[in-house]
Short mmCIF file of all heavy atoms in Angstrom, two decimals:
data_model
loop_
_atom_site.label_atom_id
_atom_site.label_comp_id
_atom_site.label_asym_id
_atom_site.label_seq_id
_atom_site.Cartn_x
_atom_site.Cartn_y
_atom_site.Cartn_z
N ALA A 294 -3.26 -3.70 5.25
CA ALA A 294 -3.62 -4.39 6.48
C ALA A 294 -4.83 -3.82 7.16
O ALA A 294 -5.61 -4.53 7.81
CB ALA A 294 -2.43 -4.44 7.45
N PHE A 295 -5.01 -2.48 7.07
CA PHE A 295 -6.03 -1.85 7.88
C PHE A 295 -7.06 -1.09 7.04
O PHE A 295 -8.02 -0.52 7.58
CB PHE A 295 -5.41 -0.90 8.92
CG PHE A 295 -4.62 -1.69 9.92
CD1 PHE A 295 -3.26 -1.90 9.72
CD2 PHE A 295 -5.19 -2.19 11.06
CE1 PHE A 295 -2.53 -2.65 10.64
CE2 PHE A 295 -4.47 -2.91 11.99
CZ PHE A 295 -3.11 -3.14 11.76
N GLY A 296 -6.92 -1.13 5.72
CA GLY A 296 -7.95 -0.64 4.84
C GLY A 296 -8.14 0.90 4.92
O GLY A 296 -9.22 1.39 4.56
N TYR A 297 -7.16 1.65 5.35
CA TYR A 297 -7.33 3.10 5.41
C TYR A 297 -7.46 3.62 3.97
O TYR A 297 -6.67 3.29 3.09
CB TYR A 297 -6.13 3.75 6.10
CG TYR A 297 -6.17 3.73 7.61
CD1 TYR A 297 -5.75 2.60 8.30
CD2 TYR A 297 -6.68 4.79 8.33
CE1 TYR A 297 -5.81 2.54 9.66
CE2 TYR A 297 -6.75 4.73 9.70
CZ TYR A 297 -6.29 3.59 10.40
OH TYR A 297 -6.37 3.52 11.71
N PRO A 298 -8.35 4.57 3.70
CA PRO A 298 -8.43 5.17 2.40
C PRO A 298 -7.24 6.10 2.16
O PRO A 298 -6.62 6.58 3.10
CB PRO A 298 -9.76 5.98 2.47
CG PRO A 298 -10.02 6.22 3.90
CD PRO A 298 -9.41 5.06 4.63
N HIS A 299 -6.94 6.26 0.89
CA HIS A 299 -5.74 7.09 0.55
C HIS A 299 -5.89 8.50 1.08
O HIS A 299 -4.88 9.16 1.40
CB HIS A 299 -5.48 7.06 -0.94
CG HIS A 299 -4.83 5.79 -1.41
ND1 HIS A 299 -3.53 5.48 -1.13
CD2 HIS A 299 -5.32 4.75 -2.15
CE1 HIS A 299 -3.22 4.30 -1.68
NE2 HIS A 299 -4.30 3.87 -2.27
N ARG A 300 -7.11 8.97 1.15
CA ARG A 300 -7.33 10.33 1.67
C ARG A 300 -6.81 10.46 3.11
O ARG A 300 -6.11 11.43 3.44
CB ARG A 300 -8.83 10.67 1.61
CG ARG A 300 -9.21 12.01 2.24
CD ARG A 300 -10.72 12.24 2.14
NE ARG A 300 -11.48 11.10 2.66
CZ ARG A 300 -11.68 10.88 3.97
NH1 ARG A 300 -11.14 11.71 4.84
NH2 ARG A 300 -12.38 9.87 4.36
N GLU A 301 -7.11 9.46 3.94
CA GLU A 301 -6.65 9.51 5.31
C GLU A 301 -5.17 9.26 5.43
O GLU A 301 -4.48 9.87 6.26
CB GLU A 301 -7.39 8.48 6.16
CG GLU A 301 -8.87 8.81 6.37
CD GLU A 301 -9.58 7.84 7.29
OE1 GLU A 301 -8.89 7.27 8.19
OE2 GLU A 301 -10.78 7.66 7.17
N ILE A 302 -4.62 8.33 4.58
CA ILE A 302 -3.19 8.07 4.62
C ILE A 302 -2.42 9.31 4.21
O ILE A 302 -1.39 9.67 4.82
CB ILE A 302 -2.87 6.91 3.65
CG1 ILE A 302 -3.49 5.59 4.16
CG2 ILE A 302 -1.33 6.71 3.56
CD1 ILE A 302 -3.38 4.45 3.21
N ALA A 303 -2.92 10.03 3.19
CA ALA A 303 -2.29 11.26 2.77
C ALA A 303 -2.23 12.29 3.89
O ALA A 303 -1.22 12.99 4.10
CB ALA A 303 -3.05 11.86 1.55
N GLU A 304 -3.31 12.40 4.65
CA GLU A 304 -3.38 13.32 5.79
C GLU A 304 -2.37 12.89 6.88
O GLU A 304 -1.66 13.73 7.44
CB GLU A 304 -4.81 13.31 6.38
CG GLU A 304 -4.96 14.05 7.69
CD GLU A 304 -4.70 15.50 7.59
OE1 GLU A 304 -4.82 16.09 6.48
OE2 GLU A 304 -4.40 16.11 8.63
N ILE A 305 -2.26 11.58 7.16
CA ILE A 305 -1.31 11.09 8.16
C ILE A 305 0.15 11.40 7.75
O ILE A 305 0.93 11.83 8.60
CB ILE A 305 -1.51 9.57 8.35
CG1 ILE A 305 -2.84 9.29 9.05
CG2 ILE A 305 -0.36 8.96 9.12
CD1 ILE A 305 -3.25 7.82 9.08
N LEU A 306 0.45 11.19 6.48
CA LEU A 306 1.85 11.33 6.03
C LEU A 306 2.18 12.77 5.53
O LEU A 306 3.36 13.04 5.25
CB LEU A 306 2.15 10.32 4.95
CG LEU A 306 2.01 8.87 5.35
CD1 LEU A 306 2.42 7.95 4.18
CD2 LEU A 306 2.93 8.51 6.55
N GLY A 307 1.14 13.57 5.35
CA GLY A 307 1.45 14.90 4.83
C GLY A 307 1.81 14.92 3.37
O GLY A 307 2.65 15.68 2.93
N VAL A 308 1.15 14.04 2.57
CA VAL A 308 1.37 14.01 1.13
C VAL A 308 -0.01 14.14 0.45
O VAL A 308 -1.06 14.18 1.10
CB VAL A 308 2.04 12.69 0.73
CG1 VAL A 308 3.41 12.56 1.35
CG2 VAL A 308 1.17 11.46 1.03
N THR A 309 0.02 14.19 -0.83
CA THR A 309 -1.23 14.25 -1.60
C THR A 309 -1.82 12.86 -1.73
O THR A 309 -1.12 11.85 -1.56
CB THR A 309 -1.03 14.85 -3.02
OG1 THR A 309 -0.21 13.92 -3.77
CG2 THR A 309 -0.39 16.22 -2.94
N GLU A 310 -3.10 12.78 -2.04
CA GLU A 310 -3.76 11.49 -2.22
C GLU A 310 -3.13 10.72 -3.38
O GLU A 310 -2.93 9.51 -3.33
CB GLU A 310 -5.26 11.69 -2.43
CG GLU A 310 -6.08 10.45 -2.34
CD GLU A 310 -7.57 10.73 -2.32
OE1 GLU A 310 -7.99 11.85 -1.96
OE2 GLU A 310 -8.34 9.78 -2.67
N ALA A 311 -2.81 11.43 -4.47
CA ALA A 311 -2.20 10.84 -5.63
C ALA A 311 -0.82 10.24 -5.28
O ALA A 311 -0.45 9.17 -5.70
CB ALA A 311 -2.07 11.85 -6.77
N ALA A 312 -0.08 10.97 -4.45
CA ALA A 312 1.23 10.48 -4.02
C ALA A 312 1.09 9.23 -3.19
O ALA A 312 1.89 8.30 -3.35
CB ALA A 312 1.95 11.57 -3.24
N SER A 313 0.12 9.20 -2.34
CA SER A 313 -0.15 7.98 -1.53
C SER A 313 -0.42 6.77 -2.45
O SER A 313 0.11 5.68 -2.20
CB SER A 313 -1.31 8.21 -0.59
OG SER A 313 -1.60 7.03 0.12
N GLN A 314 -1.18 6.98 -3.46
CA GLN A 314 -1.51 5.88 -4.40
C GLN A 314 -0.20 5.42 -5.14
O GLN A 314 0.00 4.20 -5.33
CB GLN A 314 -2.56 6.34 -5.42
CG GLN A 314 -3.92 6.60 -4.77
CD GLN A 314 -4.89 7.27 -5.73
OE1 GLN A 314 -4.49 7.91 -6.68
NE2 GLN A 314 -6.14 7.16 -5.42
N GLN A 315 0.62 6.38 -5.52
CA GLN A 315 1.85 6.05 -6.20
C GLN A 315 2.82 5.27 -5.28
O GLN A 315 3.46 4.33 -5.68
CB GLN A 315 2.52 7.31 -6.76
CG GLN A 315 1.78 7.93 -7.93
CD GLN A 315 2.35 9.29 -8.27
OE1 GLN A 315 3.16 9.86 -7.56
NE2 GLN A 315 1.85 9.83 -9.38
N ILE A 316 2.88 5.72 -4.01
CA ILE A 316 3.76 5.09 -3.06
C ILE A 316 3.28 3.62 -2.83
O ILE A 316 4.12 2.69 -2.77
CB ILE A 316 3.75 5.85 -1.73
CG1 ILE A 316 4.45 7.22 -1.89
CG2 ILE A 316 4.46 5.03 -0.60
CD1 ILE A 316 4.27 8.12 -0.70
N LEU A 317 1.99 3.41 -2.73
CA LEU A 317 1.47 2.08 -2.56
C LEU A 317 1.82 1.17 -3.75
O LEU A 317 2.22 0.03 -3.59
CB LEU A 317 -0.06 2.07 -2.38
CG LEU A 317 -0.69 0.71 -2.26
CD1 LEU A 317 -0.24 0.00 -0.96
CD2 LEU A 317 -2.21 0.80 -2.26
N HIS A 318 1.70 1.74 -4.96
CA HIS A 318 2.04 0.98 -6.18
C HIS A 318 3.48 0.49 -6.11
O HIS A 318 3.75 -0.67 -6.40
CB HIS A 318 1.75 1.85 -7.41
CG HIS A 318 2.15 1.13 -8.70
ND1 HIS A 318 1.34 0.12 -9.26
CD2 HIS A 318 3.21 1.33 -9.51
CE1 HIS A 318 1.96 -0.27 -10.37
NE2 HIS A 318 3.08 0.44 -10.57
N ARG A 319 4.38 1.40 -5.73
CA ARG A 319 5.81 1.03 -5.66
C ARG A 319 6.05 -0.02 -4.59
O ARG A 319 6.78 -0.97 -4.79
CB ARG A 319 6.66 2.26 -5.34
CG ARG A 319 6.78 3.25 -6.48
CD ARG A 319 8.00 4.18 -6.26
NE ARG A 319 7.97 4.83 -4.97
CZ ARG A 319 7.40 6.00 -4.77
NH1 ARG A 319 6.80 6.64 -5.73
NH2 ARG A 319 7.45 6.57 -3.55
N ALA A 320 5.40 0.18 -3.42
CA ALA A 320 5.59 -0.77 -2.33
C ALA A 320 5.07 -2.16 -2.66
O ALA A 320 5.78 -3.18 -2.42
CB ALA A 320 4.84 -0.24 -1.08
N LYS A 321 3.90 -2.25 -3.25
CA LYS A 321 3.37 -3.55 -3.63
C LYS A 321 4.24 -4.24 -4.69
O LYS A 321 4.42 -5.47 -4.67
CB LYS A 321 1.97 -3.41 -4.18
CG LYS A 321 0.95 -3.00 -3.11
CD LYS A 321 -0.44 -2.78 -3.63
CE LYS A 321 -1.11 -4.08 -4.04
NZ LYS A 321 -2.54 -3.87 -4.39
N LYS A 322 4.84 -3.44 -5.59
CA LYS A 322 5.72 -4.05 -6.60
C LYS A 322 6.96 -4.62 -5.94
O LYS A 322 7.39 -5.71 -6.26
CB LYS A 322 6.10 -3.00 -7.65
CG LYS A 322 6.89 -3.59 -8.81
CD LYS A 322 7.20 -2.57 -9.86
CE LYS A 322 7.91 -3.19 -11.06
NZ LYS A 322 9.12 -3.93 -10.73
N HIS A 323 7.56 -3.86 -5.01
CA HIS A 323 8.76 -4.33 -4.29
C HIS A 323 8.46 -5.63 -3.53
O HIS A 323 9.27 -6.58 -3.58
CB HIS A 323 9.27 -3.27 -3.31
CG HIS A 323 9.88 -2.10 -3.95
ND1 HIS A 323 10.71 -2.19 -5.06
CD2 HIS A 323 9.81 -0.77 -3.66
CE1 HIS A 323 11.10 -0.95 -5.38
NE2 HIS A 323 10.58 -0.08 -4.57
N VAL A 324 7.33 -5.68 -2.88
CA VAL A 324 6.98 -6.89 -2.14
C VAL A 324 6.67 -8.04 -3.07
O VAL A 324 7.16 -9.18 -2.82
CB VAL A 324 5.74 -6.59 -1.23
CG1 VAL A 324 5.26 -7.91 -0.60
CG2 VAL A 324 6.11 -5.62 -0.14
N ALA A 325 5.93 -7.79 -4.13
CA ALA A 325 5.61 -8.85 -5.06
C ALA A 325 6.79 -9.42 -5.78
O ALA A 325 6.90 -10.63 -6.05
CB ALA A 325 4.57 -8.37 -6.13
N ASP A 326 7.79 -8.58 -6.07
CA ASP A 326 9.02 -9.03 -6.76
C ASP A 326 9.77 -10.01 -5.94
O ASP A 326 10.53 -10.83 -6.47
CB ASP A 326 9.87 -7.82 -7.11
CG ASP A 326 9.33 -7.01 -8.26
OD1 ASP A 326 8.43 -7.48 -8.94
OD2 ASP A 326 9.80 -5.85 -8.50
N GLY A 327 9.66 -9.93 -4.61
CA GLY A 327 10.45 -10.84 -3.76
C GLY A 327 9.64 -11.93 -3.13
O GLY A 327 10.11 -12.65 -2.26
N ARG A 328 8.39 -12.11 -3.60
CA ARG A 328 7.47 -12.96 -2.89
C ARG A 328 6.63 -13.83 -3.81
O ARG A 328 6.06 -13.32 -4.78
CB ARG A 328 6.54 -12.12 -2.02
CG ARG A 328 5.50 -12.85 -1.24
CD ARG A 328 6.07 -13.30 0.07
NE ARG A 328 5.03 -13.64 1.02
CZ ARG A 328 4.97 -14.75 1.71
NH1 ARG A 328 5.90 -15.65 1.54
NH2 ARG A 328 4.00 -14.98 2.61
N ALA A 329 6.58 -15.11 -3.56
CA ALA A 329 5.72 -16.04 -4.34
C ALA A 329 5.00 -16.93 -3.33
O ALA A 329 5.39 -18.04 -3.07
CB ALA A 329 6.51 -16.84 -5.33
N ARG A 330 3.99 -16.38 -2.71
CA ARG A 330 3.36 -17.04 -1.55
C ARG A 330 2.20 -17.95 -1.95
O ARG A 330 1.42 -17.61 -2.83
CB ARG A 330 2.86 -15.99 -0.54
CG ARG A 330 2.37 -16.59 0.77
CD ARG A 330 2.30 -15.55 1.83
NE ARG A 330 2.12 -16.20 3.14
CZ ARG A 330 0.95 -16.28 3.75
NH1 ARG A 330 -0.13 -15.77 3.18
NH2 ARG A 330 0.83 -16.86 4.92
N THR A 331 2.12 -19.04 -1.27
CA THR A 331 0.98 -19.97 -1.44
C THR A 331 0.29 -20.08 -0.08
O THR A 331 0.88 -20.48 0.90
CB THR A 331 1.45 -21.33 -1.88
OG1 THR A 331 2.19 -21.23 -3.12
CG2 THR A 331 0.28 -22.28 -2.11
N GLU A 332 -1.00 -19.73 -0.03
CA GLU A 332 -1.74 -19.83 1.24
C GLU A 332 -2.07 -21.28 1.50
O GLU A 332 -2.54 -22.01 0.59
CB GLU A 332 -3.03 -18.99 1.17
CG GLU A 332 -2.73 -17.51 1.31
CD GLU A 332 -3.84 -16.83 2.13
OE1 GLU A 332 -4.23 -17.34 3.16
OE2 GLU A 332 -4.27 -15.74 1.67
N ILE A 333 -1.86 -21.76 2.71
CA ILE A 333 -2.10 -23.14 3.06
C ILE A 333 -2.86 -23.15 4.38
O ILE A 333 -2.71 -22.26 5.21
CB ILE A 333 -0.81 -23.95 3.20
CG1 ILE A 333 0.22 -23.25 4.09
CG2 ILE A 333 -0.21 -24.20 1.80
CD1 ILE A 333 1.51 -23.99 4.27
N ASP A 334 -3.68 -24.18 4.54
CA ASP A 334 -4.50 -24.22 5.74
C ASP A 334 -3.68 -24.77 6.92
O ASP A 334 -2.54 -25.23 6.79
CB ASP A 334 -5.78 -25.05 5.51
CG ASP A 334 -5.47 -26.50 5.17
OD1 ASP A 334 -4.44 -27.07 5.59
OD2 ASP A 334 -6.26 -27.11 4.44
#
């Protein structure tokens, strides 16, 4: 939503940059698995 780089997210959460990337991958998979969205005007 806010485009923060993983370097800054890692600093905020106290994790490594690689861990932040892995966490995002898991989160996006969980959301995608439950979502089939169609954008409409």
Side-chain angles (χ1 to χ4, degrees):
F295 294 91
Y297 279 84
H299 282 290
R300 175 181 52 78
E301 291 186 28
I302 296 173
E304 171 65 22
I305 289 170
L306 298 182
V308 298
T309 65
E310 192 170 338
S313 176
Q314 293 170 339
Q315 291 171 350
I316 291 169
L317 177 66
H318 177 75
R319 289 199 306 269
K321 290 177 72 172
K322 185 177 186 305
H323 288 320
V324 171
D326 285 348
R328 178 85 162 131
R330 187 163 192 259
T331 302
E332 284 217 45
I333 50 179
D334 61 31

